[in-house]
Amino acid sequence: MTCADRLTTQAYFDGEVDAVAAAGIERHVAQCADCRALIKDLEQTRAAIRNLAQQAAPPALRARILRSL
């Protein structure tokens, strides 16, 4: 089952809601297993992205991009 508040919960996670809305969402998440799971999944995704090794673009790609600019 998918909670109707998933989009609001995602906005909360992304810091896109004001303090009053955030407080309401936090109360909702405390009682909604679906939204708790969503927050956990978003946290894991954010952590995985942050842990990706940054790699420099290959020289040929860099040159092509610079030429196109």
Side-chain angles (χ1 to χ4, degrees):
M1 178 170 210
T2 301
C3 179
D5 290 329
R6 278 179 77 81
L7 291 178
T8 305
T9 302
Q10 286 178 311
Y12 162 79
F13 180 81
D14 290 335
E16 298 173 350
V17 299
D18 62 32
V20 174
I25 295 165
E26 288 169 0
R27 284 190 299 275
H28 170 76
V29 170
Q31 300 202 6
C32 178
D34 186 49
C35 287
R36 274 195 310 278
L38 173 62
I39 293 287
K40 183 177 179 181
D41 184 50
L42 291 170
E43 288 170 344
Q44 290 172 344
T45 300
R46 181 181 282 170
I49 290 170
R50 285 185 175 153
N51 290 329
L52 289 174
Q54 291 189 5
Q55 298 179 5
L61 175 59
R62 269 180 153 342
R64 270 190 12 222
I65 292 170
L66 290 174
R67 279 194 307 269
S68 69
L69 294 175

